Amino acid sequence: MLLGLVVVSCDKGELSKEPTNDITSFQKQSSLFNYIESTHINNGSDCTNNILIFPTWDKYWETIDQLDQMIDNDCDAFDATVPNGISDDDYDALADAAGFDEDNVLRKFEEDLEFCSLRKKIESLENNWLDQQGDGEWDVNADPDNHFIDDETERALLSYDAEVIIGNKKDGFVYYKFLDDEGNYIEVHNGDNEAISQVSQGHIPTNNPNVVVQTPVKDETTGQCKSKVKEVSYEYDIANGKRLKRISKIRREFGANYTSQTAIFKSKIKAKTKGYRKKNGRWRARRTWITAGIGGQVVGEPGLAYNACDKALDPIYKQKERRRRRVKVKTTISPFNGALPQLQYLSVLENSLFSLHKQGDVLIINKDFYGMPVN
């Protein structure tokens, strides 16, 4: 059941039924977003449609924002039917009876395109991993959920191997394979399907002008400023049976093009909280009261970020508290200063901006972004 689902387009077209390596021959067109197509490439998977096509990067990011809003609408509509003050278990019982799940929107998106997504792959691997976890500490490096694409909504747009195609028949298509979230990725141009197959399966063809390996410009930041940090950690309150995962990240822009004044990824600061509960002897990412926030050293007050380690931006206070499996907040900055090829990026000083994570009113972590590892 999808409550409050906003449909972007009702035009749906089924195209060629046979899998093809020709990225100009589409398999399905989305009925939710009529600019998205799914197709098949030879990437080693047996899925009918294993990669999506977006006309532009702007549309890619716009789709993530719209899906996030659709998820919030769906969840808020269901929550409006739930009595106040009920327990997590009673909430689960009502949700099961109504056919509600916070991932319904993403599942409908994937099913509509007959698409095998990175989200679906990780969900299965994570549940298998959680089946093996006890009540002690968990290994952050072993959790399949700790993929470099840490956003479930974005995972729903990417292939099993973090791939996507951007373009159209008139201007041509570019295949992208992301290697990490720090700016390393591979492009394949000119519809070179053989090269796409090779890159997708882990082989980079040499002396092929259609294959471009992109690496980020090294961060030259020095002094009392950080613009690239990441920390993933599990937090425990054993006495009260609570456990959460916090993800905090600052990233520079990358994929920058000085000619077109664009970048694939904008600079961002993000805080995400994932809540866990044990039920029937098994840990799962289950719905519970969790909070994610970006703000000041004092919880509930704003904090400061800086533009390129220099200019203080408007005070930042973002907080989301919901009964969910996960909640996230983020802030971004445009990668260029007007028409000038001067990169802008988010940065922090010591004690200027904090990442907040809560489960209920007992397990609370508010940590300085600056004190996190450069990663």
Side-chain angles (χ1 to χ4, degrees):
M1 179 177 69
L2 289 180
L3 300 170
L5 180 64
V6 178
V7 177
V8 176
S9 169
C10 294
D11 296 329
K12 181 177 180 180
E14 289 200 21
L15 302 151
S16 171
K17 289 290 186 180
E18 294 298 321
T20 175
N21 284 341
D22 183 357
I23 60 176
T24 64
S25 298
F26 310 134
Q27 303 299 308
K28 293 277 289 188
Q29 181 183 33
S30 171
S31 65
L32 304 178
F33 304 88
N34 65 356
Y35 51 83
I36 302 174
E37 312 275 358
S38 62
T39 191
H40 182 93
I41 61 171
N42 184 13
N43 64 3
S45 76
D46 58 1
C47 298
T48 300
N49 298 319
N50 53 27
I51 195 166
L52 297 186
I53 303 173
F54 293 80
T56 64
W57 280 111
D58 284 345
K59 284 295 186 183
Y60 176 87
W61 296 113
E62 178 184 310
T63 302
I64 293 173
D65 291 340
Q66 291 193 44
L67 284 170
D68 280 342
Q69 186 59 59
M70 291 160 67
I71 292 168
D72 282 343
N73 291 345
D74 196 36
C75 292
D76 290 346
F78 175 75
D79 286 346
T81 70
V82 176
N84 293 328
I86 68 171
S87 69
D88 288 340
D89 286 340
D90 288 341
Y91 184 98
D92 285 344
L94 290 175
D96 291 342
F100 167 76
D101 187 275
E102 67 188 76
D103 289 330
N104 279 349
V105 168
L106 297 181
R107 292 193 183 105
K108 180 175 177 60
F109 172 81
E110 295 160 349
E111 291 167 0
D112 181 59
L113 286 157
E114 298 178 1
F115 173 57
C116 299
S117 73
L118 178 62
R119 185 204 69 83
K120 187 175 181 180
K121 174 185 176 182
I122 290 175
E123 180 182 56
S124 176
L125 293 173
E126 180 193 15
N127 287 336
N128 291 336
W129 181 78
L130 285 169
D131 283 341
Q132 310 304 315
Q133 303 311 303
D135 297 337
E137 293 189 6
W138 295 352
D139 182 359
V140 70
N141 296 313
D143 185 351
D145 182 59
N146 294 340
H147 192 276
F148 65 85
I149 302 293
D150 54 54
D151 185 284
E152 278 80 2
T153 306
E154 186 175 2
R155 289 174 181 174
L157 275 56
L158 295 171
S159 76
Y160 280 0
D161 296 312
E163 303 159 300
V164 68
I165 293 171
I166 304 294
N168 55 64
K169 288 185 178 180
K170 178 182 177 182
D171 301 319
F173 300 88
V174 180
Y175 158 96
Y176 293 85
K177 180 182 177 70
F178 296 114
L179 305 177
D180 53 40
D181 68 345
E182 300 179 26
N184 293 287
Y185 61 95
I186 301 173
E187 303 174 6
V188 179
H189 296 256
N190 298 320
D192 190 334
N193 294 304
E194 181 178 354
I196 288 174
S197 178
Q198 291 174 317
V199 170
S200 180
Q201 298 181 67
H203 306 289
I204 304 176
T206 58
N207 301 317
N208 185 336
N210 293 324
V211 179
V212 181
V213 179
Q214 301 282 10
T215 57
V217 176
K218 295 296 183 183
D219 188 353
E220 301 297 335
T221 301
T222 57
Q224 303 301 310
C225 167
K226 286 186 178 181
S227 60
K228 179 178 175 291
V229 305
K230 182 178 182 179
E231 188 166 73
V232 180
S233 177
Y234 302 101
E235 306 292 346
Y236 310 91
D237 180 1
I238 302 300
N240 291 284
K242 296 186 181 298
R243 161 182 317 246
L244 64 79
K245 178 164 62 180
R246 58 181 176 88
I247 301 171
S248 308
K249 182 161 60 177
I250 303 175
R251 279 293 179 262
R252 292 286 302 264
E253 75 300 313
F254 69 80
N257 184 317
Y258 285 87
T259 302
S260 61
Q261 305 286 283
T262 60
I264 291 177
F265 286 83
K266 293 182 178 181
S267 178
K268 66 182 175 182
I269 296 176
K270 179 177 181 179
K272 175 182 173 182
T273 303
K274 190 164 184 174
Y276 301 90
R277 288 193 293 124
K278 193 174 185 181
K279 189 175 181 180
N280 299 324
R282 296 192 303 179
W283 285 101
R284 280 289 185 273
R286 302 187 193 275
R287 290 178 290 258
T288 184
W289 280 109
I290 51 176
T291 304
I294 300 173
Q297 186 170 11
V298 176
V299 174
E301 294 188 359
L304 285 178
Y306 296 82
N307 180 358
C309 299
D310 181 20
K311 181 182 178 182
L313 301 170
D314 291 337
I316 298 173
Y317 177 73
K318 293 177 177 286
Q319 184 169 308
K320 180 179 283 189
E321 184 173 22
R322 296 286 192 278
R323 194 197 300 261
R324 302 272 179 89
R325 293 189 185 95
R326 58 189 178 269
V327 291
K328 64 184 177 185
V329 292
K330 61 184 177 180
T331 187
T332 61
I333 188 171
S334 297
F336 292 97
N337 182 11
L340 299 176
Q342 176 182 343
L343 289 175
Q344 299 187 85
Y345 55 89
L346 291 161
S347 51
V348 293
L349 303 179
E350 188 172 10
N351 294 322
S352 69
L353 196 68
F354 285 70
S355 184
L356 173 66
H357 309 269
K358 294 173 55 180
Q359 187 179 27
D361 294 322
V362 178
L363 188 54
I364 304 173
I365 297 93
N366 193 43
K367 185 165 182 181
D368 188 359
F369 276 103
Y370 186 85
M372 298 175 190
V374 176
N375 183 6

